[in-house]
Amino acid sequence: MPGPTESTNPARQLPAIPLAIVGGLLLVNAVPFGTSMFTDTGTPYSVSSQTSLHLAHYVVWTACLVALGQLYPRIRGVGWAGIVAAVGVCLDACARFAEAFFVPYLGREVPALLDSPPDAGLLVPLLGSGVVAMIGTATLAVVAWRRRVFPRPAAALLLVGAVIVPVLGPVSNVFIGTALLWAGVAARRPAPAASRATVAVTVH
């Protein structure tokens, strides 16, 4: 139970440093790597999936999603939305893991499968996990906005990133990464002098 010296401001109750680190990794992973792969329409996917860039991008993305699955439930003030978002990103992590390790195998053995319109057996699980991640992250963003757990511009960026996940894939991490980095950094800023006189900021 919070004592009298603990902050009651939900924006100060974030796992700030881990959120900022994961957000920064998502952003760095998305800007030079994810967007370039997404916009490269001239190279067959069966070829690009064999590259070390493809592997590194999806391994980092998977690791970040797994980390968010642990961090989202620790955000105070969002309640059940943190659990919903955690379920979404964990399911999405499974899809990104498959893209990191299973898709390159398909590119070597059955390249036509990757270079032709996707089969329902591949498309449904990938899109399904993306939709669940979209719903979970969007829910978290709306709750974080309403309860001011995140700075409102950061919550808005998180919502935009969530909505475009199923369509733009890695490009969405430009928005999501920026939002999480912003929220984490904001939570580490010193409290106003008037607040410091009465409460102690606690960030875990």
Side-chain angles (χ1 to χ4, degrees), residues 143-160:
V143 173
W145 169 288
R146 294 185 62 186
R147 299 182 183 177
R148 297 184 181 272
V149 176
F150 286 4
R152 286 196 158 175
L157 285 172
L158 186 63
L159 180 59
V160 171

Side-chain angles (χ1 to χ4, degrees), residues 14 19 72 75 77-86 89 132-165 172 175-177 179-180 183:
L14 303 177
L19 269 185
Y72 282 160
I75 299 175
V78 297
W80 56 270
I83 304 296
V84 173
V89 294
V132 174
M134 176 192 74
I135 294 171
T137 306
T139 301
L140 176 66
V142 170
V143 173
W145 169 288
R146 294 185 62 186
R147 299 182 183 177
R148 297 184 181 272
V149 176
F150 286 4
R152 286 196 158 175
L157 285 172
L158 186 63
L159 180 59
V160 171
V163 170
I164 65 175
V165 163
S172 65
F175 296 89
I176 295 173
L180 297 176

Side-chain angles (χ1 to χ4, degrees), residues 19-30:
L19 269 185
I21 291 172
V22 172
L25 283 174
L26 282 173
L27 182 59
V28 169
N29 196 42

Side-chain angles (χ1 to χ4, degrees), residues 24-173:
L25 283 174
L26 282 173
L27 182 59
V28 169
N29 196 42
V31 173
F33 305 132
T35 53
S36 65
M37 289 193 300
F38 186 79
T39 56
D40 182 10
T41 57
T43 305
Y45 191 39
S46 60
V47 175
S48 62
S49 67
Q50 306 300 310
T51 64
S52 57
L53 175 61
H54 179 278
L55 177 63
H57 171 72
Y58 280 104
V59 166
V60 171
W61 193 355
T62 302
C64 288
L65 291 172
V66 171
L68 289 177
Q70 301 295 314
L71 292 174
Y72 282 160
R74 293 177 54 198
I75 299 175
R76 296 182 187 175
V78 297
W80 56 270
I83 304 296
V84 173
V87 171
V89 294
C90 287
L91 287 175
D92 202 26
C94 296
R96 306 311 166 188
F97 182 88
E99 290 189 73
F101 297 104
F102 184 56
V103 166
Y105 170 80
L106 293 178
R108 285 193 307 271
E109 301 300 325
V110 280
L113 183 63
L114 296 186
D115 297 333
S116 58
D119 180 83
L122 290 175
L123 188 62
V124 170
L126 291 177
L127 280 182
S129 64
V131 168
V132 174
M134 176 192 74
I135 294 171
T137 306
T139 301
L140 176 66
V142 170
V143 173
W145 169 288
R146 294 185 62 186
R147 299 182 183 177
R148 297 184 181 272
V149 176
F150 286 4
R152 286 196 158 175
L157 285 172
L158 186 63
L159 180 59
V160 171
V163 170
I164 65 175
V165 163
V167 179
L168 298 183
V171 178
S172 65
N173 287 332

